Amino acid sequence: MAKQDDDFKRVISHAKEYGYVFQSSEIYDGLSAVYDYAQNGAELKKNIREYWWKAMVQLNENIVGIDAAIFMHPTTWKASGHVDAFNDPLIDNKDSKKRYRADVLVEDHVAKIEAKIEKEVAKAAKRFGDKFDEAQFLATNQRVVDYQEQATTILKRLGKSLAAEDLADVKKLIEELDIACPMSGSKNWTEVKQFNLMFGTKLGATAESAMDLYLRPETAQGIFVNFLNVQKTGRMKIPFGIAQTGKAFRNEIVARQFIFRMREFEQMEMQYFIKPGTQQEWYENWKKNRMKWHLSLGLGAENYRFHDHEKLAHYADAASDIEFRFPFGFKELEGIHSRTDFDLASHEKHSGKKLQYFDYETRESYVPYVVETSIGLDRMFLAVFSNSLQEEELANGSTRTVLKLPSVLAPTKAAVFPLVKKDGLPEIAQEIIEDLKWDFNVEYDEKDAVGRRYRRQDAAGTPFCITVDHQTLEDKTVTIRHRDSMEQQRVAIESLKGIIHEAVDMKGWLKRMDVS
Ligand code: ATP
């Protein structure tokens, strides 16, 4: 646990030091669970968004993208079920006065059990070496089997009590598991209560005429209410999808873990409209497709897993999370939900407008079913950033901090250095920048020894460093250094664009989705 905490602290301080993420309004001591993306963070975030958008909208002929408003008619949230059911179960500790999400307390307890399993696996892997068969070990080692059973039983019980809104049983579970307040160690808990997560606001100039509004807690509803507009104007045929990225707001009870859980965050969602009865097939299909997208970025297959839901949200008939190994353990990164016709049917009822699809071939009208994929852009940022931050032992015994961002996502693709600040080298470096800047984000750096400049760019995540030296004056060649291998090549200036393009081009990366 302590190592996890240290790793996570390192991620947070690195994000600040290298201009990725700042605490919001820091000069006023910040605002809890609100963050700003800094100069490099804004670029990384934009690149992740674009990588998602291209995979969804550009590569799928039957998926289109929209950009709906954050404010929506208040009845939207009545119809979607958010007014009545978008609650989290909260519990207070009477001694520390700290507030927690009851389900998260239980899930954290289960995560500790899972950590024990991982420890046993690591121990056994060390003991048995090459002969170690993890699957067999997990199935036959009695201690591990017992841990696994404990974890499953607890999660099943939690899922059942939450689905039945049996909050008394959730409290009982917390007591039976002997869960203590992480701050104070006290086990003196209040009852579990429901808490609505939507932020309210007002539209209108005078108090009398003002209309109560909510800041949207998810982007999906902007897609549902536009379903027919898009279908008709785009002449879309089922199955088809509507994609959107944008801000969402939730008054989270426990907003910690940096940008993992924020009160203002960004979602990337896609609603896929399908014929009723085909939802199982499309649900499996999108699970596979989304996992391929993740794997194409090369963060390591071992860092992802599916978690199928026991407890289903009010709108879903099947749901699964793609979980990622964050510095604090496996947690939800993306949700894939089979939402049935819940949303469209409910909007039909509340608006009095027909939201049906007419199938010209079968001559029938129906309310489509929906399978959605929903990923938090900020969580994806944290997944990429934390996974990429590495401390490496070098052959000479020193260490280097390197941010091995997938080069397609890196904010700056190349830094250009003159070896020294004279003899015309800075001018050539500037010329190279002038040429490359039309295609890539590039940076000029002439301060300090080249070794230190390399280290600085390694830590900032820049995949290439280009150095202009005296040989350049003679033969128009430079050295290009690769961040991950630290390998240096002597290449012609005119070949730089091609080399960088080959490494960072989105097309090449996205094509990996077909093979992974
Ligand atoms: P959690 O269980 O972690 O609260 P959720 O199941 O409520 O998440 P969804 O409603 O399925 O989340 O939202 C889809 C995605 O939006 C999540 O997978 C996550 O990546 C992202 N997300 C949700 N809430 C937040 C938040 N407060 N901060 C950042 N990202 C979030």
Side-chain angles (χ1 to χ4, degrees):
M1 220 52 181
K3 174 162 183 321
Q4 282 192 352
D5 287 350
D6 285 351
D7 287 349
F8 192 34
K9 277 191 193 135
R10 202 169 307 126
V11 167
I12 298 170
S13 65
H14 196 88
K16 179 170 180 200
E17 192 180 340
Y18 285 88
Y20 278 86
V21 183
F22 300 149
Q23 171 95 61
S24 156
S25 1
E26 197 190 74
I27 59 167
Y28 295 106
D29 297 332
L31 188 62
S32 153
V34 187
Y35 292 90
D36 296 338
Y37 287 89
Q39 64 279 14
N40 285 323
E43 292 286 343
L44 174 57
K45 199 174 165 196
K46 175 175 72 63
N47 292 342
I48 297 174
R49 193 190 293 112
E50 192 184 346
Y51 196 71
W52 181 89
W53 188 270
K54 275 187 192 266
M56 279 295 176
V57 179
Q58 189 174 329
L59 295 182
N60 289 292
E61 219 187 314
N62 66 345
I63 299 182
V64 291
I66 65 166
D67 184 9
I70 287 172
F71 291 142
M72 297 185 70
H73 192 283
T75 311
T76 309
W77 306 111
K78 190 77 194 143
S80 68
H82 284 80
V83 172
D84 298 318
F86 193 51
N87 301 316
D88 272 346
L90 69 83
I91 189 165
D92 292 296
N93 185 277
K94 290 185 195 160
D95 296 323
S96 67
K97 308 274 183 265
K98 288 278 166 205
R99 177 160 284 187
Y100 297 94
R101 251 175 74 174
D103 54 336
V104 172
L105 280 181
V106 176
E107 279 164 11
D108 284 351
H109 181 86
V110 170
K112 282 186 195 151
I113 300 175
E114 284 171 345
K116 285 186 194 163
I117 298 177
E118 279 195 26
K119 220 165 151 188
E120 293 291 336
V121 170
K123 251 180 20 202
K126 211 165 156 195
R127 185 152 27 103
F128 294 113
D130 288 346
K131 278 178 284 171
F132 182 59
D133 179 342
E134 186 172 332
Q136 192 193 358
F137 180 76
L138 287 173
T140 53
N141 179 284
Q142 197 50 46
R143 193 176 300 165
V144 167
V145 171
D146 288 347
Y147 282 146
Q148 194 54 61
E149 203 176 297
Q150 261 180 41
T152 314
T153 314
I154 295 170
L155 287 179
K156 274 217 163 106
R157 162 122 172 247
L158 177 69
K160 223 164 130 190
S161 341
L162 288 174
E165 295 234 9
D166 186 353
L167 300 182
D169 192 57
V170 177
K171 177 169 184 200
K172 219 162 123 210
L173 183 59
I174 289 174
E175 284 171 345
E176 280 171 26
L177 296 173
D178 218 21
I179 296 176
C181 164
M183 295 290 290
S184 64
S186 151
K187 295 170 191 165
N188 194 4
W189 297 108
T190 61
E191 297 307 308
V192 178
K193 286 184 288 238
Q194 292 289 21
F195 174 79
N196 194 289
L197 300 183
M198 283 198 293
F199 280 104
T201 185
K202 290 201 183 294
L203 179 91
T206 60
E208 304 82 63
S209 66
M211 189 179 195
D212 285 318
L213 290 191
Y214 295 106
L215 297 185
R216 68 180 178 196
E218 63 176 23
T219 54
Q221 297 305 323
I223 291 179
F224 289 124
V225 300
N226 279 303
F227 153 74
L228 212 52
N229 282 340
V230 173
Q231 191 269 318
K232 291 218 158 110
T233 56
R235 291 180 293 126
M236 309 300 290
K237 272 202 185 143
I238 272 182
F240 73 92
I242 306 179
Q244 171 168 230
T245 70
K247 287 274 170 107
F249 303 82
R250 296 182 186 179
N251 198 0
E252 298 281 2
I253 301 164
V254 192
R256 52 190 160 90
Q257 293 170 319
F258 193 39
I259 55 173
F260 179 83
R261 190 178 299 288
M262 297 197 286
R263 299 205 161 101
E264 172 182 344
F265 58 101
E266 192 164 336
Q267 289 186 314
M268 306 192 286
E269 297 199 297
M270 192 280 300
Q271 266 67 39
Y272 203 67
F273 298 90
I274 54 174
K275 197 171 176 172
T278 61
Q279 66 268 32
Q280 186 61 29
E281 184 191 325
W282 283 114
Y283 170 68
E284 294 302 337
N285 216 299
W286 278 108
K287 272 175 76 173
K288 272 200 213 109
N289 184 297
R290 292 304 302 146
M291 189 56 101
K292 277 190 185 173
W293 182 85
H294 284 287
L295 295 180
S296 73
L297 284 169
L299 303 184
E302 70 285 4
N303 293 318
Y304 297 89
R305 69 182 188 195
F306 282 111
H307 168 238
D308 295 330
H309 281 210
E310 293 288 337
K311 178 202 164 201
L312 291 174
H314 58 275
Y315 51 74
D317 77 351
S320 184
D321 296 336
I322 294 179
E323 294 187 336
F324 185 78
R325 195 197 301 265
F326 287 99
F328 35 83
F330 271 102
K331 291 272 181 228
E332 172 177 346
L333 169 61
E334 169 158 10
I336 294 121
H337 310 128
S338 173
R339 286 180 85 124
T340 70
D341 61 356
F342 174 86
D343 302 86
L344 288 181
S346 184
H347 284 305
E348 267 201 331
K349 199 168 112 211
H350 283 81
S351 67
K353 309 264 165 40
K354 265 201 152 145
L355 294 176
Q356 303 203 353
Y357 174 78
F358 180 70
D359 187 330
Y360 279 97
E361 272 153 37
T362 60
R363 317 292 303 168
E364 52 172 349
S365 272
Y366 57 83
V367 178
Y369 269 37
V370 170
V371 170
E372 85 171 350
T373 70
S374 174
I375 175 169
L377 175 49
D378 314 86
R379 278 194 196 175
M380 187 62 198
F381 184 112
L382 183 58
V384 169
F385 191 88
S386 60
N387 181 275
S388 302
L389 184 58
Q390 295 174 22
E391 290 284 324
E392 266 183 9
E393 289 264 348
L394 300 182
N396 65 6
S398 66
T399 57
R400 72 161 180 159
T401 302
V402 52
L403 189 62
K404 291 188 168 175
L405 297 173
S407 57
V408 63
L409 303 178
T412 303
K413 304 305 187 197
V416 186
F417 313 150
L419 184 65
V420 288
K421 277 189 265 180
K422 55 182 185 182
D423 305 335
L425 304 189
E427 288 75 9
I428 300 179
Q430 290 291 4
E431 275 171 31
I432 294 175
I433 297 251
E434 277 305 308
D435 184 39
L436 293 180
K437 77 176 187 190
W438 299 91
D439 295 278
F440 317 107
N441 279 346
V442 283
E443 203 174 288
Y444 177 78
D445 190 2
E446 59 173 26
K447 196 170 171 286
D448 302 321
V450 168
R452 290 198 52 186
R453 285 183 254 172
Y454 282 156
R455 291 289 180 276
R456 219 166 22 234
Q457 297 296 337
D458 285 347
T462 309
F464 295 105
C465 290
I466 295 159
T467 307
V468 176
D469 56 21
H470 290 94
Q471 194 182 326
T472 313
L473 299 171
E474 289 160 26
D475 62 6
K476 295 204 165 92
T477 64
V478 288
T479 58
I480 181 162
R481 174 186 177 271
H482 299 254
R483 177 196 65 198
D484 298 347
S485 63
M486 296 196 292
E487 197 186 308
Q488 297 185 27
Q489 277 172 286
R490 190 97 212 162
V491 300
I493 291 177
E494 59 185 27
S495 66
L496 285 171
K497 203 180 289 177
I499 295 173
I500 301 171
H501 189 78
E502 163 109 33
V504 308
D505 182 34
M506 271 201 189
K507 178 173 161 188
W509 285 80
L510 283 166
K511 280 207 158 179
R512 298 179 188 186
M513 282 182 74
D514 292 336
V515 290
S516 51

